[in-house]
Amino acid sequence: MAAQETVEHKYVYDFAEGNKDLKDLLGGKGANLAEMTNLGLPVPPGFTITTEACKAYLTTGREPDGLAAQIEAHLESLEREMGRKLGDPQDPLLVSVRSGAKFSMPGMMETVLNVGLNDRSVVGLSAQAGGNDRFAWDSYRRLIQMFGKTVCEVPGEEFEHALDDAKRAKGTQNDLDLDADDLRGLVDAYKKIFAKHTGREFPQEPREQLDLAIRAVFESWNAERAVVYRRQERIPADLGTAVNVVAMVFGNLGADSGTGVAFTRDPGSGAQGIYGDYLANAQGEDVVAGIRNTVPLQELEQIDKKSYDELLDYMARLEEHYKDLCDIEFTIERGKLWMLQTRVGKRTAAAAFVIAGQLVDEGLIDLDEALHRVNGAQLAQLMFPRFRLDHEFQPVAKGIGASPGAASGKVVFTSARAVELAAAGESVILVRRETNPDDLNGMIAAKGILTSRGGKTSHAAVVARGMGKTCVSGADELDVNVPAKKFIVAGQTVNEGDVVSIDGTTGKVYLGEVPVMPSEVVQYFEGSLDPEHIDNPLVRAVHRIMTHADAKRRLLVRTNADTGADAARARRFGAEGIGLCRTEHMFLGDRRELVERLILASTDEEREAALAALLPLQREDFIDIFREMDGLPVTVRLIDPPLHEFLPPLEQLAVNVAVAQERGEDVAKEEALLAAVRRMHEENPMLGLRGVRLGLVIPGLFAMQVRAIAEAAVEVTRSGGSACPEIMVPLVGAVQELETVRAEAEKIIAEVVGDSGVEVLIGTMIEVPRAALTAGQIAEAAQFFSFGTNDLTQMGWGFSRDDVEGAFFWRYLELGIFGISPFESIDREGVGRLVRIAAEEGRAARPGLKLGVCGEHGGDPDSVHFFHEVGLDYVSCSPFRVPVARLEAGRAAITTTGSDSR
Ligand code: PEP
Ligand code: MG
């Protein structure tokens, strides 16, 4: 019988054995080193220990069986290739030990250089370097310092202090003035520090140094800063890091040596050219430490033309090979160029679009790939005005970046004052503790909105996003005093008329005016820049990629718009209908008085009179919107919020009545109002008398709205236009609610529409969990569903949407309970599951049921991918998110493996 061979698990790969697609196993750095090696580029030889070895070590607390022997074998072949032995006293091989996870985690994990140096090989290194004692002793002290800190947790400052002492003794501030003897002395000092903290001598055995360094890199995966970084960047915690063991090359061997970084295109703008920095006679860590100033990479041509030309050639080859912007680290050792690292480089949002466009022009990638390489978050960034932060501006507070953009203006505290100053041509920032529907005009007039309370789905945030207006919410360091027309922040008082600047992307608040620049991308969407005739590479690239996304996407994109003006803007941004027209603002302003009459009506006649007065006003609202959308579908939602929102606050009313009574004034009307407000007061209004419940309780309210919608549609059609209304009932939890509303609505519609040819659909929001779970029944009575994921998230999680983000989400994010607020990006497993169930059961009951979403998630990139996967027909989002949703819907259609917006 043949001897049975056990197949050993492979934990170590020579660079020649890997390739760029093995990032899971070899990490990004290892996979790319292998790729460069195989391309024939001059990479110092080495090998990679896999992430699997790391994971095994982290689970069991010891190196897996076979790892030590495999390292030994690869080390031997490295020694053969280099013609040197690790730590050899006469002619030592030295290696670096570097971490390298699948996703780059800059500065988060460990590196140890110069492994293999000890009291004897330091002499050999000096000989190797042509008798350069200073270099050899400097390398040795760097090893003890890095090894001590990284592997043995010796406090780094102790080494720093010893270095400072040595410089002080020498009367210098520059490391380069320390000679070989000084550095030899420093090595002694470092060894003492090492021994004091570890209770042992600095290890002299090279292989022990190597093993301990590898172990330290494994362990650095779980260092606290790495854990926090992964949580923030949403990098899975169980990937582990690979470890690269690479023959050392030195950039600090004299004027003919050096180190640098290079980019194959400008990562800031995407422009083609040669970008990078070079530092002569230095190691990579010196560049980071900023000990001396680097020179622009172009100057290398004068310093070392041969290496420069070679580098340019490699850069071109790498770009051609990776078909993308590459960033590169290199070292020149005595005139010999070595490539130490490459990866597809990080870039700004503008550069991402420009580079994708250029690569298509160059025939390196196709348009699908270009679309894949940009994302909605980048597009959104490009759509907002930005602060020109070239001067030092210090923020005085930080809230939630609720609606992106940059705005400066005079502080005002009331909606009326905002309107007044804006009419006089002033830029204003409306500052409130929180906003409510009464602030709408002021919000429209203001350049930006700043509140001290509320989260990303607070009234201020949602309305501001809808308008594309900059908003910072929940800046709780602000003590806002509206009656006194001032707020206090960081000990300073800001009065009405003082100028502040707010950044709705970062949530930062500045005192004074920070200059702002407009977005060219918005100018393009608005039609004021013609992409074919303008010499702006960004606008041309955006145009090209958007056109492709539109051709590819299956999801339609509608908008949430309540006015003709919003509808018009959304159409320019590419909206294909209105997915949510909220009708509540139509009950404010001048109409508030009518609403009060409706609420206070004590007889049918009084109520009917109030409704009759509201009817023509509502009809005009809808005519305006139908005309703007001309033939595109318009989903109008019947009134949703609790009625008390249209009445004065209870406390204020009670005080007014008491004061007036005291003065002996006639308060009959106010008393009636107070009684009504008391009657309607609810502890949890969001879970109370609102939505369909209101329609069922107040006779004639929904009927008036349905009639106004149908009449408006008929009028638009009769005057030669086209209207496609879809009436949507909010907050339905049971099919019986919908059936009741529908029966009444159908009668009115039939009566109004007659033979005009107008068709009115009736459907419902799915925003109460019970509605999602009984969607099969509800679909029997609904011609369409629109998922109200704001309320579905609120009620699915039991989170008050107005309170929780400011109150405790920070802690949930910190603990990693979720990586992003579920109000911002759909919670696929929970709330998303409700959507999926309702979509499936709804369609099973009524094939062809039209499905859309109109919660805030409709404009969130990751959520758009989810809605594509679930098979919705459209997403609806605020006008400014429409291009983002179009782009992401296109990306979702070409991505087979789900979303990957990283
Ligand atoms: C929702 O709940 O998702 C929704 C769109 O309705 P609103 O935000 O008006 O409650
Ligand atoms: Mg809702």
PDB file of all heavy atoms in Angstrom, residues 804-828:
ATOM      1  N   VAL A 804     -34.764  59.783  18.204  1.00  0.00           N
ATOM      2  CA  VAL A 804     -33.688  58.837  18.525  1.00  0.00           C
ATOM      3  C   VAL A 804     -32.320  59.175  17.926  1.00  0.00           C
ATOM      4  O   VAL A 804     -31.295  58.911  18.559  1.00  0.00           O
ATOM      5  CB  VAL A 804     -34.064  57.400  18.124  1.00  0.00           C
ATOM      6  CG1 VAL A 804     -35.115  56.848  19.042  1.00  0.00           C
ATOM      7  CG2 VAL A 804     -34.507  57.335  16.671  1.00  0.00           C
ATOM      8  N   GLU A 805     -32.306  59.768  16.750  1.00  0.00           N
ATOM      9  CA  GLU A 805     -30.993  59.973  16.122  1.00  0.00           C
ATOM     10  C   GLU A 805     -30.120  60.897  16.950  1.00  0.00           C
ATOM     11  O   GLU A 805     -28.939  60.646  17.161  1.00  0.00           O
ATOM     12  CB  GLU A 805     -31.159  60.488  14.696  1.00  0.00           C
ATOM     13  CG  GLU A 805     -31.629  59.381  13.779  1.00  0.00           C
ATOM     14  CD  GLU A 805     -31.722  59.840  12.341  1.00  0.00           C
ATOM     15  OE1 GLU A 805     -32.723  60.495  12.015  1.00  0.00           O
ATOM     16  OE2 GLU A 805     -30.813  59.528  11.566  1.00  0.00           O
ATOM     17  N   GLY A 806     -30.753  61.987  17.436  1.00  0.00           N
ATOM     18  CA  GLY A 806     -29.990  62.903  18.278  1.00  0.00           C
ATOM     19  C   GLY A 806     -29.761  62.320  19.658  1.00  0.00           C
ATOM     20  O   GLY A 806     -28.753  62.587  20.310  1.00  0.00           O
ATOM     21  N   ALA A 807     -30.705  61.486  20.123  1.00  0.00           N
ATOM     22  CA  ALA A 807     -30.651  61.050  21.525  1.00  0.00           C
ATOM     23  C   ALA A 807     -29.611  59.958  21.780  1.00  0.00           C
ATOM     24  O   ALA A 807     -28.777  60.085  22.664  1.00  0.00           O
ATOM     25  CB  ALA A 807     -32.031  60.575  21.963  1.00  0.00           C
ATOM     26  N   PHE A 808     -29.660  58.889  21.021  1.00  0.00           N
ATOM     27  CA  PHE A 808     -28.748  57.788  21.390  1.00  0.00           C
ATOM     28  C   PHE A 808     -28.152  57.024  20.221  1.00  0.00           C
ATOM     29  O   PHE A 808     -27.412  56.065  20.428  1.00  0.00           O
ATOM     30  CB  PHE A 808     -29.454  56.807  22.347  1.00  0.00           C
ATOM     31  CG  PHE A 808     -30.638  56.103  21.731  1.00  0.00           C
ATOM     32  CD1 PHE A 808     -30.462  54.978  20.952  1.00  0.00           C
ATOM     33  CD2 PHE A 808     -31.927  56.578  21.928  1.00  0.00           C
ATOM     34  CE1 PHE A 808     -31.548  54.335  20.380  1.00  0.00           C
ATOM     35  CE2 PHE A 808     -33.022  55.941  21.361  1.00  0.00           C
ATOM     36  CZ  PHE A 808     -32.834  54.815  20.586  1.00  0.00           C
ATOM     37  N   PHE A 809     -28.441  57.420  18.988  1.00  0.00           N
ATOM     38  CA  PHE A 809     -27.880  56.645  17.874  1.00  0.00           C
ATOM     39  C   PHE A 809     -26.358  56.636  17.890  1.00  0.00           C
ATOM     40  O   PHE A 809     -25.731  55.688  17.454  1.00  0.00           O
ATOM     41  CB  PHE A 809     -28.392  57.170  16.531  1.00  0.00           C
ATOM     42  CG  PHE A 809     -29.636  56.466  16.056  1.00  0.00           C
ATOM     43  CD1 PHE A 809     -30.453  55.804  16.952  1.00  0.00           C
ATOM     44  CD2 PHE A 809     -29.982  56.459  14.718  1.00  0.00           C
ATOM     45  CE1 PHE A 809     -31.605  55.160  16.533  1.00  0.00           C
ATOM     46  CE2 PHE A 809     -31.131  55.803  14.279  1.00  0.00           C
ATOM     47  CZ  PHE A 809     -31.938  55.164  15.182  1.00  0.00           C
ATOM     48  N   TRP A 810     -25.766  57.730  18.378  1.00  0.00           N
ATOM     49  CA  TRP A 810     -24.303  57.774  18.416  1.00  0.00           C
ATOM     50  C   TRP A 810     -23.748  56.556  19.154  1.00  0.00           C
ATOM     51  O   TRP A 810     -22.763  55.954  18.749  1.00  0.00           O
ATOM     52  CB  TRP A 810     -23.809  59.070  19.074  1.00  0.00           C
ATOM     53  CG  TRP A 810     -24.291  59.230  20.484  1.00  0.00           C
ATOM     54  CD1 TRP A 810     -25.449  59.821  20.887  1.00  0.00           C
ATOM     55  CD2 TRP A 810     -23.652  58.764  21.676  1.00  0.00           C
ATOM     56  NE1 TRP A 810     -25.585  59.754  22.244  1.00  0.00           N
ATOM     57  CE2 TRP A 810     -24.484  59.110  22.771  1.00  0.00           C
ATOM     58  CE3 TRP A 810     -22.454  58.092  21.943  1.00  0.00           C
ATOM     59  CZ2 TRP A 810     -24.170  58.811  24.089  1.00  0.00           C
ATOM     60  CZ3 TRP A 810     -22.138  57.788  23.263  1.00  0.00           C
ATOM     61  CH2 TRP A 810     -23.001  58.148  24.309  1.00  0.00           C
ATOM     62  N   ARG A 811     -24.455  56.163  20.228  1.00  0.00           N
ATOM     63  CA  ARG A 811     -23.971  55.032  21.026  1.00  0.00           C
ATOM     64  C   ARG A 811     -24.147  53.718  20.249  1.00  0.00           C
ATOM     65  O   ARG A 811     -23.285  52.848  20.279  1.00  0.00           O
ATOM     66  CB  ARG A 811     -24.754  55.010  22.346  1.00  0.00           C
ATOM     67  CG  ARG A 811     -24.300  53.946  23.308  1.00  0.00           C
ATOM     68  CD  ARG A 811     -22.900  54.196  23.838  1.00  0.00           C
ATOM     69  NE  ARG A 811     -22.494  53.150  24.770  1.00  0.00           N
ATOM     70  CZ  ARG A 811     -21.278  52.632  24.837  1.00  0.00           C
ATOM     71  NH1 ARG A 811     -20.326  53.084  24.039  1.00  0.00           N
ATOM     72  NH2 ARG A 811     -20.989  51.698  25.692  1.00  0.00           N
ATOM     73  N   TYR A 812     -25.271  53.599  19.564  1.00  0.00           N
ATOM     74  CA  TYR A 812     -25.524  52.400  18.773  1.00  0.00           C
ATOM     75  C   TYR A 812     -24.503  52.269  17.645  1.00  0.00           C
ATOM     76  O   TYR A 812     -24.063  51.173  17.305  1.00  0.00           O
ATOM     77  CB  TYR A 812     -26.949  52.454  18.191  1.00  0.00           C
ATOM     78  CG  TYR A 812     -27.986  51.867  19.111  1.00  0.00           C
ATOM     79  CD1 TYR A 812     -28.011  52.209  20.466  1.00  0.00           C
ATOM     80  CD2 TYR A 812     -28.927  50.966  18.642  1.00  0.00           C
ATOM     81  CE1 TYR A 812     -28.945  51.667  21.311  1.00  0.00           C
ATOM     82  CE2 TYR A 812     -29.874  50.410  19.491  1.00  0.00           C
ATOM     83  CZ  TYR A 812     -29.877  50.768  20.817  1.00  0.00           C
ATOM     84  OH  TYR A 812     -30.789  50.221  21.650  1.00  0.00           O
ATOM     85  N   LEU A 813     -24.125  53.411  17.085  1.00  0.00           N
ATOM     86  CA  LEU A 813     -23.132  53.388  16.000  1.00  0.00           C
ATOM     87  C   LEU A 813     -21.772  53.022  16.571  1.00  0.00           C
ATOM     88  O   LEU A 813     -21.024  52.228  16.015  1.00  0.00           O
ATOM     89  CB  LEU A 813     -23.079  54.749  15.305  1.00  0.00           C
ATOM     90  CG  LEU A 813     -24.353  55.101  14.516  1.00  0.00           C
ATOM     91  CD1 LEU A 813     -24.418  56.585  14.200  1.00  0.00           C
ATOM     92  CD2 LEU A 813     -24.435  54.275  13.229  1.00  0.00           C
ATOM     93  N   GLU A 814     -21.477  53.605  17.744  1.00  0.00           N
ATOM     94  CA  GLU A 814     -20.198  53.339  18.391  1.00  0.00           C
ATOM     95  C   GLU A 814     -20.073  51.854  18.741  1.00  0.00           C
ATOM     96  O   GLU A 814     -19.021  51.246  18.568  1.00  0.00           O
ATOM     97  CB  GLU A 814     -20.143  54.181  19.666  1.00  0.00           C
ATOM     98  CG  GLU A 814     -18.784  54.357  20.273  1.00  0.00           C
ATOM     99  CD  GLU A 814     -18.900  55.297  21.474  1.00  0.00           C
ATOM    100  OE1 GLU A 814     -19.331  54.840  22.556  1.00  0.00           O
ATOM    101  OE2 GLU A 814     -18.579  56.475  21.319  1.00  0.00           O
ATOM    102  N   LEU A 815     -21.165  51.266  19.235  1.00  0.00           N
ATOM    103  CA  LEU A 815     -21.137  49.858  19.620  1.00  0.00           C
ATOM    104  C   LEU A 815     -21.249  48.924  18.420  1.00  0.00           C
ATOM    105  O   LEU A 815     -21.165  47.713  18.565  1.00  0.00           O
ATOM    106  CB  LEU A 815     -22.301  49.560  20.577  1.00  0.00           C
ATOM    107  CG  LEU A 815     -22.208  50.169  21.975  1.00  0.00           C
ATOM    108  CD1 LEU A 815     -23.514  49.995  22.718  1.00  0.00           C
ATOM    109  CD2 LEU A 815     -21.066  49.519  22.757  1.00  0.00           C
ATOM    110  N   GLY A 816     -21.492  49.509  17.254  1.00  0.00           N
ATOM    111  CA  GLY A 816     -21.608  48.671  16.056  1.00  0.00           C
ATOM    112  C   GLY A 816     -22.925  47.913  15.997  1.00  0.00           C
ATOM    113  O   GLY A 816     -23.048  46.929  15.271  1.00  0.00           O
ATOM    114  N   ILE A 817     -23.929  48.341  16.779  1.00  0.00           N
ATOM    115  CA  ILE A 817     -25.240  47.684  16.704  1.00  0.00           C
ATOM    116  C   ILE A 817     -25.805  47.903  15.309  1.00  0.00           C
ATOM    117  O   ILE A 817     -26.407  47.032  14.726  1.00  0.00           O
ATOM    118  CB  ILE A 817     -26.179  48.209  17.815  1.00  0.00           C
ATOM    119  CG1 ILE A 817     -25.610  47.782  19.168  1.00  0.00           C
ATOM    120  CG2 ILE A 817     -27.613  47.717  17.626  1.00  0.00           C
ATOM    121  CD1 ILE A 817     -26.298  48.346  20.364  1.00  0.00           C
ATOM    122  N   PHE A 818     -25.573  49.088  14.762  1.00  0.00           N
ATOM    123  CA  PHE A 818     -25.692  49.239  13.318  1.00  0.00           C
ATOM    124  C   PHE A 818     -24.575  50.139  12.805  1.00  0.00           C
ATOM    125  O   PHE A 818     -24.023  50.956  13.542  1.00  0.00           O
ATOM    126  CB  PHE A 818     -27.057  49.715  12.828  1.00  0.00           C
ATOM    127  CG  PHE A 818     -27.809  50.655  13.715  1.00  0.00           C
ATOM    128  CD1 PHE A 818     -27.338  51.936  13.961  1.00  0.00           C
ATOM    129  CD2 PHE A 818     -29.011  50.273  14.280  1.00  0.00           C
ATOM    130  CE1 PHE A 818     -28.056  52.810  14.750  1.00  0.00           C
ATOM    131  CE2 PHE A 818     -29.732  51.151  15.076  1.00  0.00           C
ATOM    132  CZ  PHE A 818     -29.251  52.419  15.313  1.00  0.00           C
ATOM    133  N   GLY A 819     -24.253  49.947  11.526  1.00  0.00           N
ATOM    134  CA  GLY A 819     -23.143  50.703  10.937  1.00  0.00           C
ATOM    135  C   GLY A 819     -23.605  52.051  10.429  1.00  0.00           C
ATOM    136  O   GLY A 819     -22.808  52.963  10.243  1.00  0.00           O
ATOM    137  N   ILE A 820     -24.909  52.182  10.198  1.00  0.00           N
ATOM    138  CA  ILE A 820     -25.465  53.421   9.652  1.00  0.00           C
ATOM    139  C   ILE A 820     -26.892  53.513  10.157  1.00  0.00           C
ATOM    140  O   ILE A 820     -27.512  52.485  10.440  1.00  0.00           O
ATOM    141  CB  ILE A 820     -25.389  53.383   8.105  1.00  0.00           C
ATOM    142  CG1 ILE A 820     -25.815  54.712   7.499  1.00  0.00           C
ATOM    143  CG2 ILE A 820     -26.216  52.264   7.513  1.00  0.00           C
ATOM    144  CD1 ILE A 820     -25.468  54.843   6.032  1.00  0.00           C
ATOM    145  N   SER A 821     -27.388  54.721  10.322  1.00  0.00           N
ATOM    146  CA  SER A 821     -28.746  54.872  10.845  1.00  0.00           C
ATOM    147  C   SER A 821     -29.754  54.162   9.935  1.00  0.00           C
ATOM    148  O   SER A 821     -29.741  54.359   8.726  1.00  0.00           O
ATOM    149  CB  SER A 821     -29.097  56.358  10.925  1.00  0.00           C
ATOM    150  OG  SER A 821     -30.499  56.511  10.960  1.00  0.00           O
ATOM    151  N   PRO A 822     -30.656  53.361  10.518  1.00  0.00           N
ATOM    152  CA  PRO A 822     -31.658  52.689   9.675  1.00  0.00           C
ATOM    153  C   PRO A 822     -32.659  53.666   9.070  1.00  0.00           C
ATOM    154  O   PRO A 822     -33.428  53.295   8.187  1.00  0.00           O
ATOM    155  CB  PRO A 822     -32.354  51.718  10.641  1.00  0.00           C
ATOM    156  CG  PRO A 822     -32.061  52.235  12.002  1.00  0.00           C
ATOM    157  CD  PRO A 822     -30.767  52.974  11.932  1.00  0.00           C
ATOM    158  N   PHE A 823     -32.645  54.921   9.515  1.00  0.00           N
ATOM    159  CA  PHE A 823     -33.486  55.922   8.857  1.00  0.00           C
ATOM    160  C   PHE A 823     -32.820  56.423   7.574  1.00  0.00           C
ATOM    161  O   PHE A 823     -33.445  57.040   6.737  1.00  0.00           O
ATOM    162  CB  PHE A 823     -33.746  57.112   9.792  1.00  0.00           C
ATOM    163  CG  PHE A 823     -34.773  56.800  10.850  1.00  0.00           C
ATOM    164  CD1 PHE A 823     -34.410  56.730  12.186  1.00  0.00           C
ATOM    165  CD2 PHE A 823     -36.092  56.558  10.510  1.00  0.00           C
ATOM    166  CE1 PHE A 823     -35.352  56.427  13.156  1.00  0.00           C
ATOM    167  CE2 PHE A 823     -37.038  56.257  11.473  1.00  0.00           C
ATOM    168  CZ  PHE A 823     -36.669  56.188  12.800  1.00  0.00           C
ATOM    169  N   GLU A 824     -31.513  56.174   7.473  1.00  0.00           N
ATOM    170  CA  GLU A 824     -30.784  56.668   6.323  1.00  0.00           C
ATOM    171  C   GLU A 824     -30.687  55.597   5.239  1.00  0.00           C
ATOM    172  O   GLU A 824     -30.886  55.860   4.069  1.00  0.00           O
ATOM    173  CB  GLU A 824     -29.385  57.076   6.801  1.00  0.00           C
ATOM    174  CG  GLU A 824     -28.706  58.040   5.889  1.00  0.00           C
ATOM    175  CD  GLU A 824     -27.365  58.459   6.477  1.00  0.00           C
ATOM    176  OE1 GLU A 824     -27.218  58.474   7.723  1.00  0.00           O
ATOM    177  OE2 GLU A 824     -26.472  58.751   5.692  1.00  0.00           O
ATOM    178  N   SER A 825     -30.328  54.399   5.661  1.00  0.00           N
ATOM    179  CA  SER A 825     -30.144  53.314   4.706  1.00  0.00           C
ATOM    180  C   SER A 825     -30.976  52.133   5.190  1.00  0.00           C
ATOM    181  O   SER A 825     -30.957  51.810   6.375  1.00  0.00           O
ATOM    182  CB  SER A 825     -28.652  52.950   4.666  1.00  0.00           C
ATOM    183  OG  SER A 825     -28.412  52.145   3.550  1.00  0.00           O
ATOM    184  N   ILE A 826     -31.718  51.510   4.280  1.00  0.00           N
ATOM    185  CA  ILE A 826     -32.710  50.515   4.700  1.00  0.00           C
ATOM    186  C   ILE A 826     -32.053  49.363   5.471  1.00  0.00           C
ATOM    187  O   ILE A 826     -30.994  48.870   5.097  1.00  0.00           O
ATOM    188  CB  ILE A 826     -33.492  49.980   3.476  1.00  0.00           C
ATOM    189  CG1 ILE A 826     -34.709  49.165   3.898  1.00  0.00           C
ATOM    190  CG2 ILE A 826     -32.628  49.141   2.564  1.00  0.00           C
ATOM    191  CD1 ILE A 826     -35.945  49.973   3.980  1.00  0.00           C
ATOM    192  N   ASP A 827     -32.687  48.987   6.553  1.00  0.00           N
ATOM    193  CA  ASP A 827     -32.232  47.843   7.331  1.00  0.00           C
ATOM    194  C   ASP A 827     -32.741  46.601   6.598  1.00  0.00           C
ATOM    195  O   ASP A 827     -33.894  46.214   6.715  1.00  0.00           O
ATOM    196  CB  ASP A 827     -32.821  47.984   8.747  1.00  0.00           C
ATOM    197  CG  ASP A 827     -33.088  46.661   9.410  1.00  0.00           C
ATOM    198  OD1 ASP A 827     -32.288  45.741   9.241  1.00  0.00           O
ATOM    199  OD2 ASP A 827     -34.120  46.550  10.119  1.00  0.00           O
ATOM    200  N   ARG A 828     -31.861  46.015   5.793  1.00  0.00           N
ATOM    201  CA  ARG A 828     -32.293  44.940   4.888  1.00  0.00           C
ATOM    202  C   ARG A 828     -32.913  43.766   5.629  1.00  0.00           C
ATOM    203  O   ARG A 828     -33.909  43.200   5.193  1.00  0.00           O
ATOM    204  CB  ARG A 828     -31.095  44.426   4.080  1.00  0.00           C
ATOM    205  CG  ARG A 828     -30.630  45.403   3.025  1.00  0.00           C
ATOM    206  CD  ARG A 828     -29.371  44.901   2.340  1.00  0.00           C
ATOM    207  NE  ARG A 828     -28.970  45.803   1.280  1.00  0.00           N
ATOM    208  CZ  ARG A 828     -28.845  45.449   0.001  1.00  0.00           C
ATOM    209  NH1 ARG A 828     -29.045  44.215  -0.376  1.00  0.00           N
ATOM    210  NH2 ARG A 828     -28.494  46.334  -0.897  1.00  0.00           N
TER     211      ARG A 828
END
